[in-house]
Amino acid sequence: MWIVATDFLAVNREELGRWVRGEPGAFDWSPFIQHVCKIEGRGEPWQDKQRRLRQRLRRILPIDVHLPDPLGAPLHPRADALLSSFCLEAVSPDRASFVRALSHISNLLRPGGHAVLLGALGESFYLAGPARLPVVPLQESDVRDALAAAGFSLRELRSYAMPPALRTGVDDVDGVFFAHAQKALEG
Ligand SMILES: C[S@@+](CC[C@H](N)C(=O)[O-])C[C@H]1O[C@@H](n2cnc3c(N)ncnc32)[C@H](O)[C@@H]1O
């Protein structure tokens, strides 16, 4: 099993590459890896998980979810699973564009493959340094409709309201969703 990571921005891909290569100054993901080991509860040393993740992350590619071939060419073989986090709603001007972007990334997934989507509900902007970036505000029903329109069967959808303590002013998000969906089998 190996992993392909993607991002639109070269600076983000370069930062991830520095972490994969273990270069000094790269963002330290170890507290997150330690937390995952803790909640998995298998007693796996976090250093082993980090090493395995670095070994398996073989490629870091540019992506544009607004293209029917988001990677610029079809992926061979197509992926068994796809994870997208706080991306599609943050880069789509409206709900129709969100659905199209979802269909585009679905082209990277094999029939029957699994998608895990995390995203923002009811968000219209977020701040990235001095930039105020627009987001298409989604309701849970928009996520359900988009997945169905893009040919996915919904396996699980959970939504959480943003607690007041996490409303820090860097965005106007109301909540977050976690969706697990499966791409239809062809034929
Ligand atoms: C709100 S950030 C989310 C980052 C990260 N996935 C997370 O969960 O924190 C949105 C991401 O979408 C990327 N992005 C911007 N335009 C894009 C596009 N057209 N296609 C794919 N990704 C894009 C940005 O570079 C950025 O990494």
Side-chain angles (χ1 to χ4, degrees), residues 122-184:
E123 186 180 34
S124 70
F125 77 92
Y126 70 98
L127 302 178
R132 190 179 195 274
L133 299 168
V135 179
V136 57
L138 298 176
Q139 298 182 348
E140 198 186 83
S141 57
D142 297 321
V143 179
R144 285 179 196 279
D145 293 349
L147 285 165
F152 285 95
S153 298
L154 187 59
R155 298 287 173 229
E156 191 170 356
L157 178 61
R158 293 192 196 184
S159 298
Y160 299 91
M162 194 54 67
L166 292 183
R167 294 179 191 259
T168 58
V170 296
D171 56 42
D172 62 347
V173 68
D174 282 338
V176 295
F177 69 86
F178 296 75
H180 168 206
Q182 201 171 358
K183 184 172 171 175

Side-chain angles (χ1 to χ4, degrees), residues 63-113:
I63 188 166
D64 184 350
V65 297
H66 300 309
L67 301 177
D69 275 328
L71 300 179
L75 187 64
H76 289 299
R78 282 185 283 175
D80 295 317
L82 183 150
L83 169 67
S84 174
S85 144
F86 297 94
C87 175
L88 303 184
E89 71 281 9
V91 304
S92 299
D94 50 36
R95 277 177 290 172
S97 170
F98 177 82
V99 173
R100 278 196 301 278
L102 186 57
S103 301
H104 295 159
I105 63 169
S106 154
N107 292 334
L108 302 172
L109 196 58
R110 69 162 170 80

Side-chain angles (χ1 to χ4, degrees), residues 7-111:
D7 200 279
F8 184 77
L9 292 179
V11 285
N12 291 348
R13 299 193 300 274
E14 285 156 11
E15 169 60 35
L16 192 52
R18 279 194 287 277
W19 176 79
V20 170
R21 293 187 296 274
E23 291 177 11
F27 184 78
D28 179 14
W29 287 100
S30 64
F32 298 86
I33 295 171
Q34 288 171 45
H35 185 67
V36 170
C37 286
K38 187 174 151 199
I39 59 182
E40 283 181 346
R42 297 189 200 126
E44 180 185 18
W46 68 267
Q47 295 90 340
D48 289 358
K49 190 183 280 298
Q50 177 166 280
R51 193 177 314 112
R52 227 177 45 254
L53 189 54
R54 282 182 164 138
Q55 283 166 353
R56 289 185 175 174
L57 213 168
R58 299 264 177 87
R59 291 195 287 168
I60 303 172
L61 301 178
I63 188 166
D64 184 350
V65 297
H66 300 309
L67 301 177
D69 275 328
L71 300 179
L75 187 64
H76 289 299
R78 282 185 283 175
D80 295 317
L82 183 150
L83 169 67
S84 174
S85 144
F86 297 94
C87 175
L88 303 184
E89 71 281 9
V91 304
S92 299
D94 50 36
R95 277 177 290 172
S97 170
F98 177 82
V99 173
R100 278 196 301 278
L102 186 57
S103 301
H104 295 159
I105 63 169
S106 154
N107 292 334
L108 302 172
L109 196 58
R110 69 162 170 80

